[in-house]
Amino acid sequence: MEIHRQNIASTVASASLPMGYWLKPNATWRTNQTPYNVAMPESKPLVAVIMGSKSDWDTMRNAVEILDELGVPNEARVLSAHRTPDATTDFARTAAERGLRVIIAGAGGAAHLAGVIAAHTWLPVLGVPIQSKLQGLDSLLSTAQMPGGIPVGTLAIGDAGAKNAGLLAAAILATSDDSIHGKLEAFRRKQSENVLAAKLPI
């Protein structure tokens, strides 16, 4: 069963329409559409969160949740490096032209999804090792031990790795996006404040 989820984060800038937009003679209208309630244009996903199986969602949702919190448009789906090789390759090869800027891939065991995707795209690929029967060590090694020339940014095993993958993806985008930059800085400030405000039960 395939998970395929897309989050659309709207932006204030997208509300601006060019002068004379509503005066175009061939403009199409929905029956309930006026110049005052036009639907916001959809933002294309900038980050894809890919997992090898539906069971990986409990881990990979941590990446999606932090991206949502930071207002980063994203999509999430299941693709298997070994069980759906053609679909995985096609996804990786067309990711950049679809507007994606970062790919997060999580898989367990020796199913090195991140490495397969990285082999077919120039986009940055972040790998999340999923917990396994070997405590995730096999997942970690298969993600981290890439041959020179095909890099995969490898995060920690499990939930922390997925959350940090979302944060790292946002940080990559923040170098050229002031809105994401501001939200990421606010997240870090709030995190620091929470630590400093912590009270010990003594």
Side-chain angles (χ1 to χ4, degrees):
M1 182 177 181
E2 181 181 285
I3 295 173
H4 191 180
R5 169 199 177 279
Q6 181 170 316
N7 167 58
I8 300 300
S10 61
T11 62
V12 174
S14 63
S16 300
L17 296 173
M19 184 69 69
Y21 177 85
W22 297 107
L23 303 179
K24 290 182 180 179
N26 297 323
T28 57
W29 293 69
R30 293 191 300 272
T31 56
N32 64 341
Q33 180 174 300
T34 74
Y36 306 102
N37 70 356
V38 61
M40 295 284 284
E42 293 185 344
S43 298
K44 292 182 178 180
L46 297 178
V47 179
V49 180
I50 309 301
M51 60 213 78
S53 67
K54 182 181 176 181
S55 62
D56 297 334
W57 174 244
D58 284 344
T59 296
M60 299 307 292
R61 70 188 304 162
N62 291 280
V64 171
E65 288 170 358
I66 198 68
L67 290 169
D68 287 349
E69 182 177 343
L70 296 172
V72 178
N74 64 85
E75 65 180 19
R77 64 180 301 182
V78 172
L79 285 172
S80 171
H82 301 131
R83 290 168 292 173
T84 61
D86 292 338
T88 301
T89 299
D90 183 64
F91 164 81
R93 286 176 174 168
T94 61
E97 66 187 56
R98 288 199 301 115
L100 290 170
R101 290 295 172 261
V102 184
I103 299 172
I104 299 172
H112 187 13
L113 181 61
V116 171
I117 290 174
H120 295 288
T121 183
W122 56 266
L123 294 175
V125 177
L126 308 179
V128 179
I130 303 294
Q131 280 283 1
S132 66
K133 292 181 179 179
L134 298 179
Q135 307 302 314
L137 292 177
D138 48 347
S139 310
L140 175 62
L141 292 174
S142 68
T143 305
Q145 293 299 107
M146 286 295 294
I150 306 293
V152 168
T154 306
L155 284 301
I157 297 169
D159 293 355
K163 180 177 181 178
N164 282 343
L167 288 168
L168 185 53
I172 292 171
L173 296 172
T175 61
S176 59
D177 188 307
D178 290 340
S179 176
I180 296 174
H181 181 191
K183 290 176 182 178
L184 187 58
E185 286 199 326
F187 173 88
R188 296 289 291 268
R189 284 195 301 270
K190 182 179 178 181
Q191 183 172 246
S192 296
E193 290 167 359
N194 289 340
V195 171
L196 295 173
K199 303 295 184 184
L200 296 176
I202 54 176

